[in-house]
Amino acid sequence: MDILLIGGLWLDGSVWDRVASRLESLGHRPVPLTLPGQGDGSASATLEDQVAAVLAAVDAAPGKPVVVGHSAACTLAWLAADRRPERLAGVVLIGGFPFSDGHAYADFFEVRDGVVPFPGWGPFEGPEIADLDEGARRRLAAAAIPVPAAVAQGVVRLADERRFDVPVVVVCPEFTPAQARKWIDGGDVPELARAGRVDFADIDAGHWPMVSRPEELARILAAAAEAA
């Protein structure tokens, strides 16, 4: 099965290299995406440009793919479910949740000269980076790509309620499945509160399991694809 891999802010497709290698050995076809504005050299890309790139990958898949979103890109994966509900086998969300219609995509960090640069590790101190050694942190920071402001500040638009029929798996790295269920049931994640099927997978990792636990993450993604 095709498994489309979308990294969060500042990441290009190469962050999935080790996960992709393992997925191939498990019999799947990984498709790591490098998004407009996050690796293609464009500083003027918009959120809709990124959505279009994801949809192009969905449309190019020979069958129904699973779309995997990491962190902020959980919303991108969910936007794919909204725009192509009949074309997806499922959605996997790693370390994040999708925003609702009308919410800014990822307006969390300071914009400088039209882009959102990687802010350093200060905002992520704690469980999110506890499993990354100094070498991994240096490599991630050095490879981080400033995100165009028109991506981070783009407005999420959802319209097709058939998205709620697409199966979802929430991969829980720096939080637990119990916490995720509590947030969803408590109304903090209204999109998933309305989803028809939401499963959970625990992983003992921080916020970047594709870096710190690639083989374990690949097994989880393969299992989600096979269940879908």
Side-chain angles (χ1 to χ4, degrees), residues 19 21 61 68 85 107 142 149 169 179 210 215:
V19 172
S21 177
V68 178
D107 194 12
V169 175
Q179 288 174 309
M210 70 281 279
E215 292 204 2

Side-chain angles (χ1 to χ4, degrees), residues 121-136:
W121 294 110
F124 307 106
E125 285 296 340
E128 293 184 68
I129 60 171
D131 61 339
L132 295 178
D133 61 28
E134 286 301 319

